[in-house]
Amino acid sequence: MGSRWGFLIRFLGAVWLLGLGHCEQQTPETAAQRCFCQVSGYLDDCTCDVETIDKFNNYRLFPRLQRLLESDYFRYYKVNLKRPCPFWNDISQCGRRDCAVKPCQFDEVPDGIKSASYKYSEEANNLSEECEQAEQLGAVDESLSEETQKAVLQWTKHDDSSDNFCEADDIQSPDAEYVDLLLNPERYTGYKGPDAWKIWNVIYEENCFKPQTIKRPLNPLASSQGKSKGLCVEKRAFYRLISGLHASINVHLSARYLLQDTWLEKKWGHNITEFQQRFDGILTEGEGPRRLKNLYFLYLIELKALSKVIPFFERPDFQLFTGNKVQDAENKMLLLEVLHEIKSFPLHFDENSFFAGDKKEANKLKEEFRLHFRNISRIMDCVGCFKCRLWGKLQTQGLGTALKILFSEKLIANMPESGPSFEFHLTRQEIVSLFNAFGRISTSVKELENFRNLLQNIH
């Protein structure tokens, strides 16, 4: 498993070395060209091109994925927004009302979800509430079958194992609350300036193997040159994932910007100026288009992870358990439709050419990736805007889950067709974050089409 992943990372990272290419047009560029002229055609030496991704995402996948994410199973996410920042104490909390998160009342969350943090079969879900109230999850009710007890204990150990890329919240904490993601959408909150820059500065400068080739800092606090010289392609690949995540978040904030705020109403919509400031090739000294290409890079990585994890969700005893049997069955059918649509994508990475290399080196790279990414997930507890913290934690956990899947190919392949899976397991938190995080990236790709159209009308 590790050796095959090592070559995957080297292959993906090699994309960085090939650069962005240049626009062929020598005449003065339009506003759309300055953001998108380099974001077209083939993604360097990948067999996939931007236009194919746009067409597949915007017209085939996006509508179905959004329907799935609106279902009860995926709209409720349990999160602890009160965890202290582990790195510094001087957090300036955002006092704007748009930064606030409204948690769910206890009776608003479906009973099946409240009692189903770890388990999927109806047998396990019926008794999971007692397990969650136990001081340790090992104290499993004896009325569970021996096989299910073993699975619960194995799953609990797995949640703390070295396979996880995120430091997950303690969802048993009294401070952990359910949040309705549909009622707390990701959008511009006004959280900006030194406090926000500090978060991204720490991520890029301390945890992200920042390449020396970056010409302009990604925020005003970042140095203009990367600290490390001669970074290997594996570490550049890691950087591209984080840069793609950052770009995706910036697209969301530009697409759902507070355009008007009066005592009568609030109006949210596309802020073209904000988008240009973040992605215009001239205003960002060439960095903006690269960030957008990194967003597509991230899209392909998470798309690949979802295609690999299909056997886990196809097992007959897996449920999207909320307690409503009819809706749960319908949502599982929709989930499998989405996953098989993803599998049908014509230009996935070539499996036969990706996975090769030295096993020892691959395991070392995996551990480096895991430690750096866990650190980034901890930094999310330092975000001063609670809505930004919510979506930052969800999206980093989603990307971490995607990395966990990519590292677990053999474990997924060896899962039993039915019954508990002891070697590979995803918690409900991981499932919800995985699909919602990909939903955010899918939305970003869709919004890029909208911004292209809007910018074409600017001269």
Side-chain angles (χ1 to χ4, degrees):
M1 174 180 63
S3 61
R4 297 178 68 192
W5 174 251
F7 188 78
L8 171 65
I9 299 174
R10 284 192 288 274
F11 176 80
L12 299 179
V15 171
W16 182 273
L17 296 178
L18 297 178
L20 287 172
H22 302 281
C23 300
E24 296 180 357
Q25 183 168 332
Q26 300 300 318
T27 57
E29 297 170 326
T30 65
Q33 289 169 338
R34 280 162 46 182
C35 291
F36 292 106
C37 67
Q38 296 175 349
V39 190
S40 62
Y42 285 95
L43 289 171
D44 305 313
D45 66 344
C46 296
T47 58
C48 188
D49 60 273
V50 168
E51 290 75 15
T52 298
I53 296 174
D54 287 339
K55 183 178 179 181
F56 172 79
N57 178 76
N58 298 349
Y59 301 103
R60 291 175 56 185
L61 183 59
F62 178 81
R64 289 182 180 176
L65 181 59
Q66 292 306 304
R67 279 208 328 272
L68 181 68
L69 297 180
E70 290 171 359
S71 67
D72 283 351
Y73 187 89
F74 288 100
R75 69 185 292 180
Y76 295 106
Y77 180 64
K78 197 170 188 181
V79 62
N80 183 357
L81 297 176
K82 299 178 182 178
R83 289 181 64 175
C85 172
F87 300 107
W88 58 83
N89 296 320
D90 57 331
I91 300 180
S92 178
Q93 300 290 354
C94 174
R96 298 172 61 94
R97 56 183 176 177
D98 293 321
C99 287
V101 171
K102 182 182 179 182
C104 298
Q105 298 297 318
F106 186 77
D107 59 355
E108 293 176 337
V109 183
D111 291 336
I113 290 178
K114 288 184 290 192
S115 64
S117 296
Y118 287 89
K119 295 157 275 295
Y120 306 110
S121 69
E122 187 169 5
E123 174 192 15
N125 276 298
N126 287 338
L127 293 169
S128 61
E129 189 171 23
E130 297 176 22
C131 297
E132 290 179 0
Q133 292 173 350
E135 194 167 307
Q136 296 181 348
L137 279 176
V140 182
D141 192 292
E142 292 182 356
S143 60
L144 287 171
S145 69
E146 182 178 350
E147 186 179 38
T148 303
Q149 287 187 47
K150 183 179 178 182
V152 171
L153 293 173
Q154 289 279 355
W155 294 341
T156 305
K157 292 177 182 178
H158 191 276
D159 292 336
D160 298 322
S161 73
S162 62
D163 290 328
N164 287 333
F165 283 74
C166 289
E167 185 169 305
D169 283 343
D170 176 11
I171 59 174
Q172 310 307 320
S173 167
D175 290 330
E177 298 178 291
Y178 282 100
V179 173
D180 186 336
L181 299 175
L182 299 183
L183 298 182
N184 294 273
E186 183 181 26
R187 59 191 178 191
Y188 182 81
T189 64
Y191 178 65
K192 59 183 179 180
D195 293 326
W197 297 333
K198 184 177 182 179
I199 299 295
W200 287 110
N201 183 52
V202 172
I203 289 175
Y204 282 110
E205 298 299 320
E206 303 294 335
N207 295 283
C208 204
F209 313 115
K210 182 171 177 285
Q212 194 175 24
T213 53
I214 296 299
K215 296 179 181 179
R216 181 179 185 272
L218 291 157
N219 63 64
L221 298 183
S223 61
S224 60
Q225 293 293 327
K227 293 181 179 179
S228 302
K229 295 183 179 180
L231 283 178
C232 65
V233 292
E234 293 87 350
K235 294 178 180 179
R236 292 189 182 108
F238 184 95
Y239 168 82
R240 294 200 70 185
L241 294 177
I242 303 304
S243 174
L245 176 61
H246 191 185
S248 179
I249 291 172
N250 282 335
V251 171
H252 305 155
L253 304 187
S254 301
R256 302 195 69 170
Y257 199 91
L258 183 58
L259 301 177
Q260 179 180 321
D261 188 5
T262 67
W263 67 277
L264 287 174
E265 66 173 345
K266 285 189 173 185
K267 182 180 179 181
W268 304 85
H270 295 83
N271 187 321
I272 299 174
T273 301
E274 187 74 19
F275 182 86
Q276 288 177 294
Q277 289 176 347
R278 297 173 187 268
F279 299 109
D280 184 284
I282 294 177
L283 296 178
T284 62
E285 298 184 21
E287 282 303 307
R290 179 179 281 115
R291 296 170 193 168
L292 292 179
K293 294 197 82 171
N294 290 342
L295 189 159
Y296 281 97
F297 178 82
L298 174 63
Y299 181 94
L300 290 174
I301 294 301
E302 295 206 10
L303 194 76
K304 186 64 177 181
L306 288 168
S307 71
K308 282 182 172 293
V309 80
I310 291 176
F312 177 81
F313 294 108
E314 283 184 325
R315 294 180 306 137
D317 55 346
F318 173 83
Q319 297 182 48
L320 296 176
F321 190 81
T322 67
N324 186 322
K325 289 187 176 181
V326 175
Q327 288 187 4
D328 291 348
E330 291 177 352
N331 287 332
K332 182 175 180 180
M333 290 179 60
L334 179 57
L335 171 71
L336 294 179
E337 285 181 18
V338 168
L339 289 173
H340 284 284
E341 188 71 63
I342 289 172
K343 188 176 182 180
S344 73
F345 182 66
L347 297 174
H348 274 299
F349 291 128
D350 183 1
E351 293 289 313
N352 296 324
S353 64
F354 276 3
F355 301 98
D358 180 72
K359 182 177 180 180
K360 183 178 180 181
E361 181 65 21
N363 287 335
K364 180 181 177 181
L365 287 169
K366 173 188 174 181
E367 184 63 10
E368 278 195 271
F369 268 47
R370 192 183 69 84
L371 292 177
H372 279 262
F373 200 85
R374 283 178 71 93
N375 213 29
I376 290 173
S377 71
R378 297 174 69 206
I379 292 172
M380 292 300 126
D381 287 315
C382 302
V383 177
C385 165
F386 284 109
K387 188 167 290 182
C388 305
R389 184 183 298 192
L390 163 66
W391 285 101
K393 287 165 75 76
L394 182 145
Q395 289 176 83
T396 52
Q397 185 179 24
L399 177 52
T401 303
L403 292 174
K404 169 180 168 179
I405 292 168
L406 291 173
F407 276 114
S408 304
E409 181 182 16
K410 289 185 177 179
L411 298 181
I412 295 172
N414 294 329
M415 284 191 309
E417 293 184 1
S418 62
S421 172
F422 301 119
E423 296 298 326
F424 178 82
H425 169 65
L426 294 178
T427 67
R428 180 182 179 276
Q429 290 293 103
E430 289 174 314
I431 295 170
V432 173
S433 64
L434 173 68
F435 281 89
N436 273 283
F438 182 68
R440 293 282 76 208
I441 303 167
S442 174
T443 300
S444 293
V445 172
K446 176 68 174 176
E447 289 293 357
L448 290 184
E449 180 181 58
N450 296 329
F451 276 113
R452 279 192 188 96
N453 294 333
L454 291 169
L455 287 168
Q456 285 175 354
N457 296 322
I458 297 178
H459 300 285

